[in-house]
Amino acid sequence: MSNISAVPQPWAERLNSAADLEALRQRLEAGQDPNRPEIIVCHGTGCLANGSPQAAEALKKAIKDAGLDAKVVPGIKITGCHGFCSRGPLVVVRPQGLFYQRVQPEDAQEIVQTTLIEGKPVDRLLYVDPVSGEHIPHEKDIPFYKHQERIVLRNIGKVDPTDLGDTLVRGGYQALAKALFSMTPEEVVQQVEASGLRGRGGAGFPTGRKWRSALAAVAKKGGPVYVVVNGDEGDPGAFMDRTIMEGDPHAVLEGLILGAYALGAHQGYMYVRAEYPVAIKHLGIAMEQARALGLLGENILGSGFSFDVQVNRGAGAFVCGESTALFTSIEGRAGEPKPKYVRSVEEGLWGRPTVLNNVETWANVPQIVEKGGAWFAGIGVPHSTGTKVFSLVGKVNNVGLVEVPMGIPLQDIVEKLGGGVPGGQPFKAVQTGGPSGGCLPERLLDLPLDFDALTEAGSMMAAWASAACARCSTASARARAASRTSWTCAAWPRPSRTAPCAPWAAAPPTRCSPPCNTSRTSTWPTSRTTSARPGCARTSSPTA
Amino acid sequence: MVSFKINGETVQARQGWTVLETARQHGVHIPTLCHHEAVEPSGACRLCVVEVVQGKWSKIVISCMYPVAEGIEILTDSPRVKNVRRWILEMLLAECPGSKEIRALAAEYGVSASRFAAHHPDEQCILCGLCVRVCKEVVGVSAISTIGRGVHKKIGSPYQGPAEACVACGSCVTVCPTGAMRARLDAVRGEPKVKLAHGAK
């Protein structure tokens, strides 16, 4: 994986205008051959845990052994999470767009030989449709990806998050240049208001209104004002923010700079939980590269606007995702929430007006500024515009991360994207919104997923959707487990009488010793996924 | 001036006052534990809850921090408020069964036993942090602080040894609503360096 020191030298000089940025983008684009074979290896946390670094190493070695280095120079690109975490490690071969799942180091030779040299797909590594049993070679045809609409996740899985050049080629920082040189701060706020964007953290407060109240507070109290990213994603089973920060840190950074420009802030903070070391690392690299190019720091792009940001790491307290606790934590005191009847846009960090938004909210901002609020408002449903990223976990065939337009029926998520309940079991319930949300039973399958409909049904937006099927676990058990620990969802103790219900039933054998019946799942990257899980302690199971 | 109603009576308050301050000014009793005029409110004990009625809806808020607003109506002893207070007292009884003050206060609201398990029968501290705030805001030395979090939280000095910063003023003991600080002061201030005993040479 490249890092800051590997920034290609010719373009590492500071950019002083929008024209400089455009020229650099064109230069980088011209340097890329669209027909060049490229192997993309997912390095999302899920795939990392499943051994994608070993697979990438093996691929590199296989390419070298085959002597391809000199002829076609196939590149290996390391990207953030592709979303299809239950099938990891994922490998995509471009330009064909071939999608290989569960790639092990020993498959590398065959991929290089069959795909790169002979130009044919490796059948046994392709995705198999659970309904029709057909092999689906291309990423874009897989139902899990076909039904998604990717705005926030548009670059994730396509760019190397540690290489700013890659992001620039795909249109990164275009919105910033547009805002700085052709829009006033007021116009940026207007676009965000017009977009109807609502806070993605869960409460769904209109972002434009929040910014407007912050501006009113600044007019009353005077500066400074702060902008803060809430990356303290703590709900069990939720990994949307982590994926965004790991896979496309520049989107979050650009959104934050745009927000700062709109609000007149000169200092921002990213509060990221300590359990996300890769996200912290990638954000740090992104900031350093952006600073080197003059996209962050003093006099951004020569526009006269200065803004800097720092990453604050949490210390393992779930409560620090709450705004007052988050602020006290940034201020250097114990992260304890305090009761308040004054909103943080009036009195937040250090008692100053502060705009605190979720990672996903900030990541939406560049697209809104670039394409206009009206474009964004046209996606989704009135009152809940745009798309929403969901972590889809539990008893569904396709576990992973999806981005869908607001207002999509629950059924589509469970059946089209999730691929239905494993083993043809009847669907029982789905829980959305994490511990604060609720369980939606089968009769609510037609429910459109938007802020208001979910609140009305007694659940909540955000976080994750976790499905339960009738036989293997009751919804109440899932709810109980959800409130206990985060790993429960993945390492769900397999009920002895319902072997086919477990989504990981078809996964490759576990590394556990002695072999147990709960094979490894890909969603959870920590050591718990290997041997420390409670399920692994069982040496025998009625289904073994 | 802001005018609003407390228990049906119209009262006047200055802008920026809290509901509790206004209520005390007008002689309306609201029970509190963690509140003290000398320090900033922190809203830790929750005992000062009141019901705010605004038009058709009402909500329970803590009066020690809720800012006054024109036209609101405050109920300090509605059935809903009493119910919330009883819950709080029941939890306090389980947290610090050793406190005479808590038991007396609970009895006032008809709470004599708690349905929650009490793990430390002699515990007196309700962890309201009033001692910590006095030490920081009034005395200005911050010799004590809360240590740990969640169920492991307690009041103590740095590294739980005698605090260098402690001036042994006893303010924490004076403000403590349950008297729990009395037992802790010796651990905080340590052995006095200068013996003031009569007859010492």
Side-chain angles (χ1 to χ4, degrees):
Chain A
M1 198 174 282
S2 62
N3 54 42
I4 177 69
S5 56
V7 171
Q9 276 311 307
W11 58 274
E13 79 268 15
R14 213 186 135 85
L15 305 172
N16 287 316
S17 65
D20 278 3
L21 178 70
E22 184 55 27
L24 171 63
R25 197 186 69 79
Q26 284 177 0
R27 204 159 71 236
L28 287 169
E29 204 173 19
Q32 283 193 354
D33 174 12
N35 293 321
R36 174 192 186 219
E38 192 169 49
I39 297 181
I40 294 176
V41 186
C42 175
H43 271 46
T45 302
C47 285
L48 280 178
N50 270 342
S52 62
Q54 289 88 330
E57 269 317 302
L59 280 164
K60 262 183 212 161
K61 189 171 172 290
I63 288 172
K64 210 170 163 208
D65 289 350
L68 288 178
D69 248 349
K71 280 190 246 163
V72 285
V73 205
I76 290 204
K77 194 192 263 187
I78 305 302
T79 67
C81 181
H82 291 228
F84 211 166
C85 303
S86 60
R87 306 285 165 154
L90 305 175
V91 169
V92 176
V93 184
R94 294 194 191 279
Q96 304 99 311
L98 288 172
F99 178 87
Y100 295 139
Q101 55 170 4
R102 294 188 180 132
V103 177
Q104 299 300 317
E106 48 271 26
D107 303 326
Q109 200 91 43
E110 194 176 346
I111 291 177
V112 170
Q113 184 61 35
T114 316
T115 307
L116 287 186
I117 297 176
E118 295 167 26
K120 285 185 294 196
V122 182
D123 274 341
R124 65 180 181 85
L125 293 173
L126 294 177
Y127 174 77
V128 182
D129 191 290
V131 183
S132 63
E134 277 175 39
H135 290 251
I136 304 177
H138 295 108
E139 188 179 11
K140 61 180 190 321
D141 299 326
I142 295 173
F144 181 78
Y145 290 111
K146 201 162 71 179
H147 299 291
Q148 291 194 42
E149 182 166 348
R150 293 191 155 211
I151 293 177
V152 174
L153 304 180
R154 68 193 181 282
N155 284 341
I156 300 177
K158 298 192 171 65
V159 299
D160 181 346
T162 58
D163 182 1
L164 174 54
D166 221 13
T167 307
L168 287 180
V169 173
R170 286 189 58 87
Y173 293 97
Q174 295 295 314
L176 179 64
K178 179 184 170 187
L180 287 178
F181 295 102
S182 65
M183 290 168 88
T184 61
E186 174 58 29
E187 279 168 353
V188 176
V189 179
Q190 277 171 5
Q191 288 303 322
V192 173
E193 275 179 326
S195 72
L197 176 67
R198 292 172 69 168
R200 295 314 197 223
F205 190 81
T207 308
R209 205 194 298 169
K210 188 186 264 188
W211 291 17
R212 185 64 72 196
S213 348
L215 284 175
V218 175
K220 210 168 79 183
K221 296 175 72 168
V225 54
Y226 298 106
V227 283
V228 183
V229 179
N230 187 347
D232 195 78
E233 179 182 53
D235 274 356
F239 48 96
M240 306 86 67
D241 296 349
R242 187 193 73 203
T243 302
I244 297 169
M245 290 186 287
E246 285 178 6
D248 195 6
H250 288 288
V252 186
L253 191 58
E254 190 183 355
L256 189 67
I257 303 172
L258 284 166
Y261 175 67
L263 296 158
H266 299 290
Q267 179 65 46
Y269 297 87
M270 297 193 183
Y271 192 87
V272 188
R273 64 186 294 207
E275 292 86 343
Y276 287 175
V278 183
I280 292 168
K281 183 180 151 204
H282 285 189
L283 285 170
I285 293 171
M287 279 160 45
E288 225 170 301
Q289 295 185 341
R291 251 186 229 120
L293 277 190
L295 296 165
L296 183 68
E298 293 288 313
N299 195 11
I300 294 172
L301 283 177
S303 66
F305 172 68
S306 301
F307 172 73
D308 213 338
V309 57
Q310 74 176 55
V311 173
N312 279 69
R313 215 181 61 150
F318 175 78
V319 75
C320 286
E322 193 273 341
S323 63
T324 55
L326 191 150
F327 294 146
T328 47
S329 179
I330 292 181
E331 287 166 15
R333 294 182 281 131
E336 288 176 343
K338 52 188 177 195
K340 54 154 195 181
Y341 296 105
V342 186
R343 289 172 306 154
S344 51
V345 287
E346 286 167 26
E347 219 170 276
L349 196 54
W350 286 299
R352 307 303 314 169
T354 306
V355 169
L356 173 71
N357 277 324
N358 178 259
V359 169
E360 195 186 329
T361 316
W362 286 117
N364 269 305
V365 172
Q367 291 283 294
I368 291 171
V369 171
E370 198 178 339
K371 298 187 182 166
W375 163 81
F376 192 84
I379 305 166
V381 288
H383 306 301
S384 286
T385 55
T387 57
K388 180 80 193 83
V389 183
F390 280 101
S391 313
L392 195 59
V393 295
K395 303 273 188 288
V396 282
N397 274 314
N398 305 337
V399 170
L401 199 73
V402 297
E403 182 172 355
V404 288
M406 289 273 191
I408 185 175
L410 193 56
Q411 188 150 21
D412 283 11
I413 295 225
V414 175
E415 277 163 20
K416 285 188 185 162
L417 292 147
V421 179
Q425 295 288 326
F427 168 85
K428 186 163 189 180
V430 58
Q431 193 196 4
T432 65
S436 331
C439 287
L440 305 169
E442 194 193 350
R443 67 182 164 81
L444 290 177
L445 265 180
D446 296 336
L447 190 79
L449 281 178
D450 64 67
F451 285 108
D452 304 320
L454 279 173
T455 310
E456 211 169 287
S459 188
M460 199 177 163
M461 185 56 107
W464 53 305
S466 160
C469 69
R471 283 179 62 205
C472 48
S473 60
T474 62
S476 61
R478 177 151 289 267
R480 272 203 307 279
S483 59
R484 267 203 311 268
T485 47
S486 58
W487 46 262
T488 332
C489 313
W492 194 259
R494 173 184 287 189
S496 53
R497 59 199 158 86
T498 55
C501 289
W504 48 86
T510 169
R511 278 169 281 188
C512 297
S513 170
C516 70
N517 207 23
T518 48
S519 56
R520 68 182 187 202
T521 61
S522 51
T523 340
W524 299 101
T526 61
S527 61
R528 285 174 182 142
T529 51
T530 52
S531 59
R533 283 181 312 174
C536 296
R538 284 193 307 186
T539 48
S540 67
S541 157
T543 54
Chain B
M1 294 294 263
V2 179
S3 75
F4 64 102
K5 281 184 179 168
I6 296 181
N7 295 339
E9 274 186 44
T10 307
V11 293
Q12 303 273 318
R14 290 232 178 103
Q15 191 73 45
W17 278 13
T18 64
V19 168
L20 182 67
E21 279 169 336
T22 319
R24 297 231 159 135
Q25 180 82 9
H26 291 83
V28 180
H29 173 68
I30 297 175
T32 60
L33 286 172
C34 74
H35 183 263
H36 197 284
E37 294 81 357
V39 294
E40 290 286 308
S42 93
C45 75
R46 321 299 291 185
L47 212 59
C48 65
V49 285
V50 293
E51 190 173 351
V52 181
V53 186
Q54 240 175 337
K56 277 185 184 167
W57 58 269
S58 78
K59 64 176 174 182
I60 295 283
V61 299
I62 47 168
S63 59
C64 68
M65 292 189 94
Y66 196 79
V68 293
E70 189 69 41
I72 54 171
E73 204 182 328
I74 303 287
L75 301 173
T76 63
D77 263 322
S78 68
R80 197 173 159 199
V81 169
K82 279 186 178 162
N83 193 33
V84 172
R85 276 195 203 138
R86 274 197 291 270
W87 269 101
I88 295 166
L89 284 163
E90 224 177 297
M91 290 191 263
L92 284 175
L93 266 187
E95 191 184 2
C96 40
S99 166
K100 224 167 48 207
E101 287 80 359
I102 298 289
R103 282 203 303 273
L105 197 56
E108 256 181 58
Y109 284 84
V111 180
S112 55
S114 175
R115 73 193 86 171
F116 307 109
H119 296 292
H120 306 286
D122 299 326
E123 185 57 80
Q124 288 189 312
C125 177
I126 60 164
L127 286 168
C128 66
L130 184 56
C131 48
V132 174
R133 283 178 285 142
V134 162
C135 195
K136 184 182 178 198
E137 295 173 29
V138 179
V139 189
V141 296
S142 285
I144 48 172
S145 166
T146 55
I147 302 171
R149 65 186 188 211
V151 292
H152 305 294
K153 192 169 179 173
K154 57 183 178 182
I155 305 285
S157 44
Y159 307 109
Q160 300 186 50
E164 285 282 310
C166 180
V167 293
C169 65
S171 302
C172 48
V173 178
T174 316
V175 296
C176 182
T178 63
M181 205 55 211
R182 259 197 309 262
R184 276 154 220 242
L185 186 64
D186 280 347
V188 170
R189 73 177 169 198
E191 198 66 20
K193 284 179 189 137
V194 183
K195 303 269 185 196
L196 294 177
H198 290 290
K201 285 178 186 171

